[in-house]
Amino acid sequence: MFKALSNESRLQILQWLKEPEKHFVPHEGVDMREIGVCVSQVTDKLHMTQSTASQYLSILQRAGLIRTERIGKYTYYKRNEEKISELADFLNQKL
């Protein structure tokens, strides 16, 4: 989990996903708060290739910090607030 957080762009993705309506244009018919944000939206925001953005999202997903939902040909990403809260509690106890 700490490795996933060791990259500035991945931290930025988590910050954007905290309030997606402030940082992304919604996909038609998709509630970004409930469903999440499409990889293409993250790619555009990062100004990186889709493969790099997908790799960053995959790292965050494997760490449990984000969740995915597949709808049709799109995969949407949103924060895993439970896991982030657990991490924050752990850090508060240990530090």
Side-chain angles (χ1 to χ4, degrees):
M1 199 176 297
F2 291 111
K3 184 177 180 180
L5 296 172
S6 69
N7 177 283
E8 188 64 36
S9 294
R10 291 191 293 263
L11 286 172
Q12 185 66 65
I13 291 168
L14 286 174
Q15 289 174 335
W16 290 334
L17 292 178
K18 187 173 185 175
E19 298 178 293
E21 66 282 348
K22 284 186 172 181
H23 302 285
F24 299 100
V25 176
H27 254 190
E28 187 176 325
V30 174
D31 181 347
M32 290 186 294
R33 281 260 179 216
E34 286 295 316
I35 303 298
V37 175
C38 180
V39 66
S40 63
Q41 294 168 288
V42 175
T43 298
D44 292 344
K45 190 89 168 156
L46 284 174
H47 305 291
M48 294 182 179
T49 64
Q50 184 166 344
S51 63
T52 301
S54 292
Q55 182 181 20
Y56 286 169
L57 290 163
S58 178
I59 290 167
L60 291 169
Q61 180 185 8
R62 284 193 309 269
L65 297 169
I66 62 173
R67 295 181 175 166
T68 63
E69 183 168 341
R70 183 100 176 149
I71 300 176
K73 65 179 183 174
Y74 298 103
T75 302
Y76 295 90
Y77 299 85
K78 72 179 202 173
R79 287 167 48 115
N80 182 346
E81 295 298 341
E82 291 174 21
K83 188 63 105 173
I84 291 170
S85 181
E86 287 174 16
L87 175 61
D89 290 345
F90 171 80
L91 290 173
N92 284 328
Q93 291 173 4
K94 298 296 179 181
L95 302 177

